[in-house]
C-alpha cells in the first residue's frame, strides 16, 4: 500500500507538474502571440503609409509629368537666354516686355534698366545647350546649367568678340509657370 500510495503521489505530482508546465507555456505563448500581433499591426500600418507615400511619389514622378515640367522649364530658360543675352536697338522694347513674364523684377531691372536701348553694341547667342539638374521637377525650385556662345558686336568699329558662357540659372515655379530668379557665371565660382 505504501508503494501504491507513493506511486500515486509520484504520478499525481508528475501530472500536476506537466499540467502546470503546459499552462505556463500556453500563457506565455498567448502573451507572445499578442505581442506578435501588435508588432504585425504596427508593421502593417507602416507598410500602408509607405505605400501611400510611394503612390504620391509615383504620381509626381510620372514620366509624362516629368516630361511636361522638363519641357516647360527648358522653354522658359531658353526664352530667358534669348531675352537677356541678345541685345539690339530694334527689339529692346519687345524683349523688355517679354522679360516681365520670364524673370524676376530684380533681373528685369538689371537687364532693362532704361526705357530705350542706349548701347553701342549688339549681342547674340549661338549653340545654346540647357542642362537641367535631375531631381524632383515637381518641386517649386530648379537649377539649370546653360552653355552658350555669346557674340558681342561693336557698332563703332564693326568687330565681333565670341565668348563661351557657362551659367547656373535658378528657377522658381510661380502660378504654374517658371520664373528665373537668379543666375551666376559658373566659371567665376570655380576661380574663387
Amino acid at each position: 500500500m505504501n508503494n501504491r500510495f507513493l506511486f500515486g503521489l509520484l504520478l499525481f505530482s508528475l501530472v500536476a507538474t506537466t499540467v502546470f508546465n503546459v499552462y505556463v507555456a500556453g500563457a506565455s505563448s498567448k502573451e507572445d502571440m499578442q505581442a506578435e500581433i501588435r508588432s504585425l499591426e504596427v508593421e502593417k500600418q507602416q507598410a500602408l503609409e509607405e505605400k501611400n507615400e510611394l503612390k504620391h511619389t509615383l504620381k509626381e514622378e510620372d514620366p509624362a509629368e516629368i516630361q511636361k515640367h522638363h519641357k516647360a522649364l527648358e522653354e522658359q530658360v531658353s526664352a530667358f537666354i534669348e531675352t537677356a543675352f541678345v541685345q539690339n536697338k530694334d527689339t529692346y522694347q519687345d524683349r523688355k516686355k517679354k522679360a516681365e513674364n520670364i524673370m524676376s523684377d530684380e533681373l528685369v531691372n538689371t537687364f532693362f534698366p532704361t526705357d530705350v536701348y542706349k548701347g553701342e553694341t549688339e549681342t547674340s547667342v549661338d549653340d545654346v545647350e540647357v542642362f537641367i539638374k535631375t531631381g524632383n521637377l515637381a518641386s517649386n525650385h530648379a537649377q539649370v546649367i546653360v552653355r552658350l556662345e555669346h557674340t558681342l558686336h561693336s557698332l563703332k568699329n564693326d568687330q565681333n568678340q565670341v565668348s563661351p558662357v557657362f551659367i547656373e540659372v535658378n528657377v522658381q515655379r510661380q502660378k504654374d509657370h517658371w520664373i528665373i530668379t537668379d543666375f551666376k557665371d559658373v566659371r567665376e565660382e570655380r576661380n574663387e
Side-chain angles (χ1 to χ4, degrees):
M1 180 150 170
N2 266 344
N3 284 341
R4 280 186 177 187
F5 178 72
L6 284 176
F7 179 73
L9 190 58
L10 181 62
L11 184 61
F12 176 75
S13 65
L14 283 174
V15 169
T17 305
T18 304
V19 168
F20 177 74
N21 284 338
V22 167
Y23 172 75
V24 169
S28 68
S29 173
K30 191 174 184 180
E31 288 173 7
D32 290 343
M33 183 118 24
Q34 291 294 333
E36 181 71 21
I37 288 172
R38 283 191 296 272
S39 172
L40 289 173
E41 286 175 348
V42 168
E43 284 181 32
K44 177 184 172 186
Q45 185 62 31
Q46 289 173 343
L48 286 173
E49 288 173 5
E50 186 176 343
K51 177 184 170 187
N52 288 337
E53 285 178 25
L54 288 173
K55 278 184 178 180
H56 182 69
T57 301
L58 185 60
K59 182 180 178 186
E60 284 182 351
E61 295 183 6
D62 177 41
E65 283 294 311
I66 291 173
Q67 184 75 18
K68 185 174 101 177
H69 291 298
H70 188 276
K71 184 172 175 64
L73 183 57
E74 187 174 356
E75 287 173 355
Q76 198 72 343
V77 170
S78 294
F80 166 72
I81 296 300
E82 289 294 325
T83 303
F85 289 91
V86 176
Q87 300 287 328
N88 67 48
K89 227 179 235 189
D90 300 334
T91 62
Y92 186 80
Q93 290 300 323
D94 293 335
R95 286 183 301 102
K96 184 175 182 177
K97 187 172 184 166
K98 186 177 180 183
E100 293 170 358
N101 295 323
I102 297 172
M103 54 185 99
S104 68
D105 292 339
E106 182 180 326
L107 287 179
V108 170
N109 292 333
T110 299
F111 284 105
F112 302 96
T114 62
D115 290 332
V116 179
Y117 183 66
K118 298 178 182 177
E120 296 180 359
T121 60
E122 290 184 351
T123 62
S124 62
V125 294
D126 293 305
D127 301 326
V128 177
E129 294 180 277
V130 177
F131 305 96
I132 298 172
K133 285 190 176 183
T134 57
N136 187 1
L137 285 179
S139 74
N140 290 329
H141 299 281
Q143 288 184 318
V144 180
I145 303 294
V146 180
R147 190 203 69 74
L148 59 99
E149 295 291 323
H150 190 244
T151 303
L152 178 67
H153 177 75
S154 174
L155 297 174
K156 279 185 175 181
N157 58 15
D158 199 30
Q159 289 184 344
N160 286 340
Q161 178 184 350
V162 179
S163 310
V165 176
F166 296 91
I167 58 173
E168 180 178 307
V169 180
N170 293 316
V171 189
Q172 184 174 1
R173 187 175 18 217
Q174 297 175 358
K175 298 179 184 176
D176 294 330
H177 72 280
W178 295 99
I179 297 290
I180 285 60
T181 57
D182 195 17
F183 75 98
K184 62 184 172 188
D185 189 331
V186 175
R187 291 177 301 165
E188 285 180 7
E189 183 178 284
R190 285 186 179 170
N191 292 335
E192 291 178 355

